[in-house]
Amino acid sequence: MVTTMVDGKGTKSLSEIISSGGDTSDVQLKAFLCNNLGNRTLLVKTPMYEFYRISEVANERGEHGELVSQRKLEMPHAVALARYILKGLISTAIEYNSNDTGPIMKARKRLQAMIGKQPYLALQPIVANLRTAGRNGSNLRAQQIETAEREGVGIRIWLGQKDILWVVDGQHRRKAMQLVIEFLESLRVEQKYPPKKQSLFQHHRDERAVPQDELAVWMECYELSRTECTVTVDVHLGLDIIEERQLFHDLNNLSKKIEKSLALEFDSSNPVNSFIKEELLDRQLVKVSIGDKSVWEEDDGSLSRKEIVAINAHLILNKTNITSATPAIVEPRLPVARRFWEAVTQIPHFGEEQARVNTVAAQPVVLKAIAKLTYDFSFGRQADSELLDKLLDGITDFDFSHDNPIWRYYQLSPEEIKKYNLDGLSSYLPDNATGNRDVGKFDSETGWMRFGAKHNDIFPIIGDMIRWKLNLPNRHV
């Protein structure tokens, strides 16, 4: 190195300064040096906005031929995570301004009520690879961070424009951050909510204009995404594409997925789950069990959590799952949901020991059928309070016994159909040529009617049978 002296001070050539000092576009990150099974890694904390800016995902070959080490992006999952992040940003804005009692706090809490709240929110660490770092970071420019007592408390690293954090585990979280940033920037510029089908936040207004108090809250969220709300990144250093793919495999295949029933039990964020806990389980309207009822004679009258959730999905959302539930959709429908369960619990033998032996109403597919009818007469195209009353009043006196011949309609001969006065039922049922009509089997030895496992095919037909018997409108007309 050639060093000259100017006024007694050492100087370097311009090329030396550039090569040793980087440029003004370099990003500084603070990190902890770690050792992961013999490999040097960095634990980095950076604002959400900054992480998005300096990272990429190798799930498609780019214009520069980046090597692929990721699966395809699933957009619905990313959108759900984006809404989760928005929920977290609003919660943070409330927490950071807890002493505020003015109109902006009212707006914060109003937005939180609309998007939903939960006991705790957090994003798990993201795993990334800094391909340009060299093996164990040999190419990185770094500096020890020390206290006044010369104690090392971490390092500072510099990343140039070519240094990209390639996401190994967390591409949907990164996409979610992008969606949140774009949403907030759009509000800042246009001061309008996106069209409802494209919006992360379902505002349920005819006007898209953002009220000024809500806009102030969203701008707080935007600032938080750039400052206080950080993500933790476990950065691996200088992995090649084979090593990166192996790491992706190990992170995604060596972990055990949580059981569905346990996930539903632990999740307090979903408003349908909250309704189940507070209104059905805490009030002991319904008993919850672990696992399925494989032995009917040992039935204690309970339903599994998975079954309860599925029934409520049809009842409140007209869907097979509750992933799309938001407080704004769910809360206005809860009075009807309460009426449904109060009526169901009045069905003879429901909730008692050996319930499934004594009534078909203890089989979840039948409850799904009643739930779907309740939705139709409450919130669907056939919404009518008189029809709803007729349904919920009628099911308590309906014959849900196993030997009711209506359930085995498809097993009966024309003579038997006439004998049991079921002649008019055919007009309420779908055309036999249009789908599965194997609704279940009646066991003459036990006297039990067991409905089949293909619930989505079966419960509409059971609903048609109930419609016909209670003289409710025919859905096929």
Side-chain angles (χ1 to χ4, degrees):
M1 179 185 296
V2 178
T3 303
T4 60
M5 299 294 292
V6 177
D7 296 331
K9 298 178 180 179
T11 63
K12 298 178 181 178
S13 68
L14 182 60
S15 61
E16 290 173 331
I17 293 172
I18 292 173
S19 63
S20 64
D23 59 48
T24 56
S25 64
D26 282 0
V27 175
Q28 290 188 34
L29 296 176
K30 294 178 181 178
F32 288 101
L33 194 58
C34 306
N35 189 300
N36 192 332
L37 296 181
N39 299 301
R40 188 176 297 164
T41 62
L42 299 176
L43 191 63
V44 173
K45 182 184 77 170
T46 184
M48 187 182 299
Y49 186 97
E50 184 66 18
F51 167 75
Y52 167 71
R53 195 179 70 81
I54 63 176
S55 62
E56 284 290 351
V57 177
N59 58 358
E60 293 182 358
R61 289 190 180 273
E63 57 180 323
H64 302 299
E66 295 90 346
L67 294 172
V68 176
S69 63
Q70 276 283 351
R71 57 190 159 192
K72 293 290 184 181
L73 182 82
E74 293 183 8
M75 199 61 184
H77 181 46
V79 170
L81 282 171
R83 289 179 175 143
Y84 178 83
I85 291 173
L86 270 186
K87 188 187 297 186
L89 291 173
I90 292 174
S91 178
T92 304
I94 291 173
E95 178 67 24
Y96 278 33
N97 297 277
S98 57
N99 294 327
D100 181 8
T101 58
I104 301 301
M105 179 55 81
K106 292 180 180 178
R108 295 184 192 105
K109 292 189 174 180
R110 181 170 70 248
L111 292 177
Q112 185 182 53
M114 294 172 71
I115 201 169
K117 62 184 296 188
Q118 60 187 75
Y120 193 78
L121 297 114
L123 285 176
Q124 67 193 88
I126 291 170
V127 179
N129 176 35
L130 189 55
R131 293 177 178 176
T132 53
R135 177 61 61 181
N136 285 327
S138 58
N139 297 336
L140 275 182
R141 190 159 57 94
Q143 181 183 65
Q144 183 82 37
I145 302 174
E146 297 178 342
T147 64
E149 291 76 26
R150 309 291 292 178
E151 180 182 356
V153 293
I155 63 172
R156 180 180 287 108
I157 63 172
W158 284 264
L159 301 184
Q161 291 296 303
K162 71 180 187 306
D163 299 317
I164 296 171
L165 295 176
W166 290 98
V167 174
V168 177
D169 184 59
Q171 70 158 326
H172 289 91
R173 277 162 278 164
R174 183 185 181 275
K175 183 65 176 181
M177 294 174 202
Q178 177 188 350
L179 295 174
V180 168
I181 291 166
E182 291 174 350
F183 171 76
L184 295 174
E185 287 182 339
S186 171
L187 293 185
R188 180 171 62 89
V189 174
E190 299 181 12
Q191 299 189 16
K192 287 183 179 179
Y193 285 113
K196 289 183 180 179
K197 290 185 178 180
Q198 304 170 19
S199 182
L200 296 180
F201 179 75
Q202 302 298 317
H203 52 88
H204 297 287
R205 287 196 189 93
D206 294 332
E207 290 290 330
R208 287 173 50 199
V210 184
Q212 287 303 305
D213 56 352
E214 291 186 9
L215 184 63
V217 178
W218 292 125
M219 291 307 95
E220 285 180 342
C221 293
Y222 183 62
E223 185 65 24
L224 288 169
S225 75
R226 301 174 67 102
T227 54
E228 299 297 330
C229 284
T230 60
V231 292
T232 302
V233 190
D234 184 16
V235 182
H236 293 254
L237 303 172
L239 304 187
D240 61 29
I241 190 63
I242 300 301
E243 293 169 321
E244 198 171 299
R245 288 174 171 175
Q246 183 67 55
L247 180 59
F248 171 83
H249 168 275
D250 294 348
L251 291 173
N252 288 279
N253 286 280
L254 298 185
S255 59
K256 187 178 186 328
K257 190 173 182 180
I258 187 172
E259 296 176 2
K260 183 69 174 177
S261 59
L262 188 62
L264 293 169
E265 180 181 354
F266 284 7
D267 182 17
S268 299
S269 65
N270 190 291
V272 175
N273 261 344
S274 296
F275 166 74
I276 292 170
K277 179 183 183 303
E278 296 167 7
E279 299 289 340
L280 304 185
L281 304 185
D282 289 354
R283 290 178 56 197
Q284 298 183 346
L285 276 178
V286 180
K287 292 187 288 186
V288 65
S289 66
I290 299 174
D292 297 326
K293 300 292 185 302
S294 56
V295 182
W296 280 21
E297 294 92 335
E298 298 176 3
D299 180 21
D300 62 357
S302 61
L303 296 166
S304 73
R305 187 176 292 270
K306 185 168 67 173
E307 291 167 344
I308 298 172
V309 169
I311 295 162
N312 280 286
H314 289 287
L315 171 64
I316 300 173
L317 303 171
N318 193 30
K319 295 186 177 181
T320 57
N321 61 69
I322 61 173
T323 55
S324 63
T326 64
I329 295 173
V330 171
E331 289 179 7
R333 300 176 179 179
L334 295 185
V336 170
R338 293 187 192 98
R339 283 192 61 195
F340 165 85
W341 284 105
E342 287 167 356
V344 164
T345 56
Q346 299 303 310
I347 296 174
H349 305 295
F350 181 85
E352 299 175 359
E353 290 192 7
Q354 296 192 357
R356 300 196 185 203
V357 171
N358 293 311
T359 175
V360 298
Q363 297 183 53
V365 68
V366 177
L367 297 176
K368 289 178 183 178
I370 304 171
K372 169 60 173 164
L373 293 177
T374 303
Y375 178 91
D376 289 344
F377 299 140
S378 302
F379 318 114
R381 288 179 295 177
Q382 293 181 314
D384 185 311
S385 60
E386 291 185 4
L387 295 176
L388 178 64
D389 291 342
K390 191 172 184 179
L391 169 70
L392 296 182
D393 291 342
I395 62 171
T396 57
D397 296 323
F398 195 95
D399 182 6
F400 285 107
S401 64
H402 285 269
D403 57 9
N404 185 341
I406 197 171
W407 312 128
R408 55 184 192 272
Y409 176 83
Y410 289 103
Q411 296 177 254
L412 299 177
S413 66
E415 293 75 20
E416 289 173 318
I417 289 174
K418 187 172 183 179
K419 172 186 174 182
Y420 293 124
N421 298 315
L422 300 177
D423 310 67
L425 178 56
S426 60
S427 64
Y428 268 69
L429 298 174
D431 191 316
N432 285 343
T434 60
N436 176 28
R437 298 295 170 262
D438 182 16
V439 299
K441 182 179 180 181
F442 179 75
D443 188 332
S444 57
E445 292 185 9
T446 61
W448 297 344
M449 177 67 198
R450 286 181 181 262
F451 291 104
K454 297 181 179 180
H455 286 196
N456 290 342
D457 294 337
I458 298 169
F459 81 76
I461 296 174
I462 297 174
D464 289 337
M465 294 173 174
I466 295 173
R467 282 174 181 265
W468 176 74
K469 193 65 178 178
L470 294 181
N471 196 28
L472 294 167
N474 187 336
R475 71 183 173 106
H476 302 289
V477 174

